[in-house]
Amino acid sequence: MIIAAIGVLILAAAPWWAGRAELRLLGEIYLYLALAYLWNLMAGYAGLVSVGQQAYVGFGGYMLFALTMFGGLHPIAAVLAAGVIAALLSVPVAALIFRLKGAYFAIGTWVTAEVFRLSFAQVSSLGGGSGSSLPVNVVKSLAASRSGREALSYWLALGSAIVVIACVYLFLRSRRGLTLTAIRDSEVAAAGLGINIWRTKLEVYVVTSAFTAIIGGLIFLQKLRISPDAAFSVNDWTAFVIFIVVIGGIGTLEGPIIGTILFFLLRETLADLGTVYLIVLGVLAIVIMLKAPKGVWGLIRSRFDLELFPLSYRVKTDTPDKGA
Amino acid sequence: MPEPILQLRVLDAHYGDFQALFGIDMDVSDGEVIAIIGANGAGKTTLMRSISGLLPNAAAQIVYRGQPIGALRADQIAQSGIALVPEGRQLFPSLSVEENLLIGGQVGRKGPWSLEQIFQLFPVLKERRNQAATTLSGGQQQMVAIGRALMANPDLILFDEISLGLAPVIIKTIYDALPQIVGQGMTAMLVEQDITKALSVSSRVYCLQEGRVSLEGRTETIDRDDITRAYFGTES
Amino acid sequence: MDWISALVQGTLLGGLYALFAAGLSLIFGVMRLVNIAHGDLIVLAAYMGLSTTVMLGIHPFVALLIVIPAMAGAGYCLQRAVLNQTLGDDILPPLLVTFGLSVILQNALLEGYSADPQKLSAGGVETASVQLGGLSIGVLPLLTFLIAVAVIAGLQFIFYRTAIGRAFRAVSDNADIAQLMGLNKAHIFGLAMALALAVTAIAGILLGVRTSFDPSVGGARLIFGFEAVIIGGLGNLWGTLAGGVILGVAQTLGAKVDPGWQLLAGHVAFLVVLAVRPNGLFPRVAH
């Protein structure tokens, strides 16, 4: 706990010890970490495998632009408002796509993202298909100096990652979180316990949508430019996130951290290879899914029997389970 | 002494961590009809699943015509001439009666059984040949399940609880057909809850209790009290 | 007259979408597998068509003689080497493995063929048209539609009239019991994927002749196929054709109102069907 706190403090002080490029990279890492935690909560715990989370990343980004440009909101207020609006929007979306079972739900989420992309491409005041840049006065309202802005968006990224990880962790330790694990392990058994599966899944969907939109707002606050293709990119906001979680260990709390570190290490070393890098990632994800479904963290854990986030209670019993 | 067709050698079976069979030894000779009796949960169905390959085993634990088959897949075992009439009939709901029978014959083994032969044995199936299999009554479905297994022209046929849940008159029809089936020289193993029924058609009997063989003997010489003890496991 | 013309064009376009959908529907029907890489496999077939036509100097339709068996063979190997290992009660492995496959295919095509749009050249048939009751109908879209009808009739025949179709249905009903009938499910699944990718080969060539394509267009093809399946109702191949037609008509009518609305109108039609008839318009009747 103390080590973690010191680590966070050191990272929080990064604007004083890190260069501009490192700061940017670290900020990006935090935002991916947050997206990975959110996707892992949905797919790894709630059984909602989405390949359309770019819908909410892009939506958050566009809300940031719309609310600051036309609503006159402060960028931070706009990002938070984007989260609230995304939560409201996600309810009717869920009502529709929750009708699709299992794997078809996944493609349904992708359709949703396409509808969002095509819709925002129709809004000419936001630049239509070619997109737009955040106006200078909005950018200036964040902080007067460039280094001030960069430090602020760095802290926002770090803060949001910490908040997301803490929320996911606390949620999974709560009664509702345990419910979720029960659903994952056996939907029939959970129904037998009188747990309302549909409602719990809906809550997870709405909350992750809101957080994803907030992260999306922060991503485009860093980028300062948005276009439908960048905002709703399935590669950037879903494929990478899925690879991070699968490689790190899906359905584990530690997996996304490991996955994010590995992902960025690979990216920084293989970036010159371009498309080959993505092929390597794809192969790696497939091999891990087939040979080690709990990812790198699962491998580490089976070797050393350790846990960063104590979530699983050890069963105190010495009579072996007889089974049925 | 006729040739052994099937030998079980210290056969164990597991479902995950749960062990269902413990060191079963059995010898079945060509042309025999073996009854397997035992209480619920004694391991009778597990035994059938092991022999037919639905549960994996070590190769040498099951020897068929001198070949170790314990580690083969179910479809390979079916090809080699063992057919199972599974518990609960398990017909294919998307297939018609005739298609259910035809798919049984798809292994392509030569022998006396054909669609026409099955229809002679159970004439009602001919009338219903184009109906979806699961629209039939329970007894008729059982006839399809038996016919489906026969279509493979097996050398060894396994019947798992074929009278379970059926009306007595239907059970009689089915049991009346059994001599015609095994009369063709087929070897049979019959899992049955109804001991009297089982003994009436078999030449030898094995009783299972909690995954172990608790009694074995020839049907005509076996003692009823011994069966009761072996069945329920009461010490006396 | 314009509107009627749009309606006819949309219907014919629906044939292409039904071809996208048929392979998807088939593998879901047999092994409950949803293949996220399906769209990328369609694009792969189009590129195979491109390479064969360029290298051998043959017409794209003749190239089918090479691309269909190549895709079918690739499908069989893919199923047996990779996808069979993902099948089970958990939906995650097949989804994530096919998703990874999709990314691999897309980037491999990018590496091999670059991002430049390509097109298959079919010569005169591309521009030819026939007059029908005052309407001018393109020969190529008409041919595509007729091929779609023929393919679906063929699949229907295979499924309900042949031994392999019987095996597909039996394995789909209960794979364990089907094994008892001497059917090796790994092999049957391989054959189902081979058949699905044979259909995908046809879809890919027709796509490449109709429009230009690049490595990134697979995702949209998957979505169109998926929408056609859901609109038509799961497990009903003729329903899938109807679903494709509805999607095609919605898109052409949307484009008629405003070119930017073409794809949006298709998605909206899908969402409306999902809201009103979640099981699709023509769900398979349970036996």
Side-chain angles (χ1 to χ4, degrees), chain B residues 32 199-200 202-206 215-227 229:
Chain B
E32 271 193 304
L199 298 183
S200 72
S202 60
S203 50
R204 247 167 7 104
V205 59
Y206 283 89
L215 181 73
E216 118 175 59
R218 301 206 63 80
T219 315
E220 60 272 7
T221 58
I222 205 153
D223 182 77
R224 276 302 173 127
D225 292 337
D226 288 346
I227 290 183
R229 260 195 302 282

Side-chain angles (χ1 to χ4, degrees), chain A residues 147-298:
Chain A
S147 60
R149 276 199 303 277
E150 281 168 352
L152 184 58
S153 62
Y154 172 84
W155 284 321
L156 284 171
L158 178 62
S160 66
I162 291 172
V163 168
V164 165
I165 294 172
C167 284
V168 170
Y169 177 58
L170 292 175
F171 175 74
L172 286 174
R173 287 207 10 159
S174 72
R175 210 184 110 72
R176 292 197 167 284
L178 295 173
T179 307
L180 210 56
T181 314
I183 295 174
R184 176 185 66 174
D185 294 343
S186 167
E187 198 151 305
V188 181
L193 294 170
I195 292 162
N196 189 334
I197 296 166
W198 198 87
R199 217 191 112 187
T200 311
K201 286 190 172 185
L202 177 71
E203 283 167 2
V204 169
Y205 185 77
V206 170
V207 171
T208 39
S209 300
F211 272 121
T212 306
I214 289 174
I215 303 296
L218 293 177
I219 288 172
F220 286 94
L221 190 57
Q222 267 196 348
K223 291 190 185 292
L224 301 180
R225 210 197 127 62
I226 199 164
S227 70
D229 288 342
F232 299 98
S233 161
V234 62
N235 268 339
D236 290 350
W237 314 127
T238 294
F240 291 165
V241 170
I242 290 180
F243 288 153
I244 286 173
V245 176
V246 168
I247 292 171
I250 190 165
T252 67
L253 265 172
E254 296 84 351
I257 294 182
I258 311 262
T260 307
I261 295 170
L262 287 175
F263 174 80
F264 278 91
L265 278 178
L266 275 174
R267 197 181 82 171
E268 296 303 304
T269 45
L270 297 178
D272 301 340
L273 297 175
T275 54
V276 173
Y277 156 65
L278 282 166
I279 297 174
V280 169
L281 268 185
V283 172
L284 194 61
I286 289 179
V287 169
I288 286 187
M289 205 64 225
L290 292 178
K291 302 293 174 204
K294 285 288 169 202
V296 172
W297 178 250

Side-chain angles (χ1 to χ4, degrees), chain B residues 73 75 93-94 99 106-107, chain C residues 166 169 173 179 181-182 184:
Chain B
R73 290 191 314 264
D75 57 292
S94 308
E99 285 177 321
Q106 208 153 304
V107 291
Chain C
R166 204 158 60 214
R169 283 180 288 146
D173 279 348
Q179 296 260 94
M181 307 297 126
N184 179 2

